[in-house]
Amino acid sequence: MGVKRQYLIASNTSDGFVSFSHGFLRDAERVYILKGGPGCGKSTFIKRIGDELLQEGFSVDFINSPCDANSIDGIFIHDIRVAIVNGTAPGGIDPKYPGAIDRLLDFGEYWDIDYLRNNKDEIKHYTDEIDGEYNSLFKHLKNAKLVHDRWEKEYLKGMDFNKAEEITKSLIENLVKERKEFKGKEYHRFSGAMTPQGNINFYEILTEGIKNRYIVKGRPGTGKSTMTRKIAKSALEAGYDVEYYHCAFDPDSIDMIIIPELGFAILDGTAPHVFDPGEGDNLVDMLECIDTNIVHEQEEPIKSIETEYAKEIVDAKKAYAKVKELNDKLENYYVNATDFNDVNALRIRITKTLKGMKN
């Protein structure tokens, strides 16, 4: 059994759809890019290949879809440096080095085109309805971000930046002790995301085997992301590769970093991805940097802001659930139009090829 990791390279955020697919494909020597409509078997195709190679002892990263908690958008097979990825919208990945590295797999070749054309009115209807619900989703997420910014400002009023800097410097001194000759590499991902079925998060699987975990607690504006970025920058400049896991709500914020070579991870353990320290974990409490004589959490305006933020998130989740409902109806047409025997035959051929690439 190989080593499995799981994360996302894209998310529907308050800034719209954000993808780090370019960085994900950077180290691949061979890339299979899948194209096709919803419901034509791309996720199942990718997942079954990943599962089979995992059983054969390959180390595989599974890339979850932000649009469906049960769907896989890609895999990266470390032993042979091969990526298989869904290149259909909204990700929209196209071959960069056609033939030399990238191979396009068009699942449209397995469609009953006459069936789809006969149902074009329904397909157009559901597609347009989905676009409208996505507009609603992004509107509420953007509104929530504006509210969140006001929330942060209330805590910033009582923030002791000198104390926050002391905590950051102490962590850097303890964790980044040696320097290497060259600057490290950056990897940008998401450790979780809001999906139509609810929030998903892969903190546990991503930090499995990490010796030192630092769990950061705090509130909006208490410097969690800023501290994490400074530690990451120090590690990079010291020559260590850094995995950045961005916030799926605000992609400019960092939820977690992992520096594998130094054996440590720093992660934000506050809502919506609550993660409490376990045995052997270290707690970093950024609330220590807040003057509670200035900031009153249980009073106005913080309570009203918190309520306003929660409402926008609830409305965003309703729109996202509607997207999934409509997408399921749209998928039915493509399921009915697809010859899955041909899809399965292609999967078997590619799996055999990949197994043969391992030394």
Side-chain angles (χ1 to χ4, degrees):
M1 186 77 169
V3 176
K4 177 181 180 179
R5 301 183 86 211
Q6 206 159 355
Y7 50 87
L8 301 93
I9 58 170
S11 180
N12 291 304
T13 79
S14 57
D15 283 344
F17 181 80
V18 174
S19 174
F20 298 117
S21 60
H22 175 72
F24 169 69
L25 299 175
R26 179 182 58 193
D27 293 337
E29 294 182 351
R30 184 180 297 189
V31 179
Y32 294 90
I33 301 173
L34 279 54
K35 296 283 189 176
C40 61
K42 301 184 300 298
S43 175
T44 301
F45 181 95
I46 296 169
K47 186 178 186 302
R48 289 186 67 180
I49 292 177
D51 286 341
E52 190 167 341
L53 294 179
L54 198 64
Q55 291 295 326
E56 291 287 328
F58 289 76
S59 293
V60 183
D61 289 1
F62 286 74
I63 313 306
N64 269 66
S65 168
C67 303
D68 185 342
N70 300 313
S71 288
I72 299 297
D73 270 351
I75 55 173
F76 188 90
I77 308 146
H78 288 272
D79 311 73
I80 53 178
R81 296 176 70 180
V82 171
I84 305 176
V85 63
N86 180 1
T88 312
I93 300 170
D94 293 313
K96 185 176 182 181
Y97 308 107
I101 292 178
D102 307 320
R103 178 183 171 187
L104 190 63
L105 303 179
D106 183 5
F107 281 41
E109 295 178 3
Y110 311 126
W111 290 340
D112 180 342
I113 295 297
D114 289 336
Y115 172 83
L116 293 175
R117 285 175 177 163
N118 288 336
N119 290 278
K120 66 179 181 181
D121 290 340
E122 292 84 355
I123 290 172
K124 287 172 64 178
H125 167 75
Y126 287 123
T127 300
D128 293 344
E129 287 290 308
I130 289 168
D131 287 345
E133 291 299 332
Y134 265 119
N135 288 337
S136 179
L137 167 68
F138 289 129
K139 181 190 76 173
H140 289 298
L141 288 176
K142 185 176 180 179
N143 288 345
K145 177 61 169 60
L146 294 174
V147 176
H148 198 275
D149 289 345
R150 285 165 38 211
W151 199 359
E152 287 187 355
K153 287 179 181 177
E154 292 302 318
Y155 282 93
L156 287 172
K157 293 175 182 177
M159 185 69 180
D160 185 338
F161 292 101
N162 290 328
K163 190 165 188 177
E165 188 64 22
E166 288 175 10
I167 293 173
T168 304
K169 286 183 177 179
S170 176
L171 285 169
I172 291 173
E173 289 171 2
N174 288 332
L175 297 172
V176 189
K177 296 179 180 179
E178 298 180 5
R179 302 187 68 85
K180 299 163 76 175
E181 188 175 350
F182 301 104
K183 186 178 179 180
K185 288 184 181 179
E186 300 180 30
Y187 296 89
H188 292 269
R189 304 160 177 167
F190 296 97
S191 59
M194 177 195 293
T195 76
Q197 296 99 324
N199 291 335
I200 57 173
N201 191 276
F202 300 112
Y203 274 167
E204 198 68 66
I205 192 170
L206 286 168
T207 60
E208 186 176 358
I210 298 293
K211 291 186 294 184
N212 295 305
R213 295 195 306 191
Y214 290 79
I215 317 301
V216 185
K217 296 288 187 177
R219 298 287 188 273
T222 54
K224 304 186 300 294
S225 178
T226 300
M227 176 188 69
T228 303
R229 280 189 180 277
K230 287 181 178 180
I231 295 169
K233 182 181 178 183
S234 178
L236 274 174
E237 292 175 347
Y240 298 98
D241 294 348
V242 177
E243 297 175 7
Y244 289 83
Y245 293 89
H246 292 249
C247 172
F249 169 66
D250 175 8
D252 290 333
S253 185
I254 303 297
D255 276 349
M256 175 170 70
I257 57 169
I258 299 176
I259 295 87
E261 195 173 350
L262 293 175
F264 77 83
I266 298 175
L267 60 95
D268 182 347
T270 51
H273 34 71
V274 175
F275 194 88
D276 295 321
E279 185 178 353
D281 291 336
N282 305 280
L283 174 64
V284 181
D285 189 358
M286 297 304 287
L287 274 176
E288 294 177 1
C289 303
I290 295 294
D291 187 341
T292 54
N293 292 315
I294 298 174
V295 178
H296 304 285
E297 287 191 292
Q298 302 305 318
E299 299 177 9
E300 298 296 349
I302 289 179
K303 295 306 294 180
S304 294
I305 292 173
E306 190 174 354
T307 300
E308 188 179 351
Y309 171 78
K311 182 183 183 305
E312 291 292 347
I313 293 297
V314 167
D315 289 342
K317 289 180 177 180
K318 287 179 180 176
Y320 216 175
K322 187 64 176 178
V323 167
K324 181 67 169 62
E325 178 187 329
L326 293 165
N327 197 70
D328 286 347
K329 293 177 180 178
L330 179 62
E331 280 188 357
N332 286 332
Y333 293 98
Y334 288 91
V335 169
N336 293 334
T338 301
D339 187 334
F340 290 102
N341 289 326
D342 285 344
V343 172
N344 196 46
L346 176 64
R347 178 187 60 80
I348 292 170
R349 291 197 302 272
I350 289 180
T351 303
K352 183 178 179 181
T353 297
L354 298 179
K355 287 181 179 179
M357 291 173 63
K358 190 172 185 180
N359 294 328

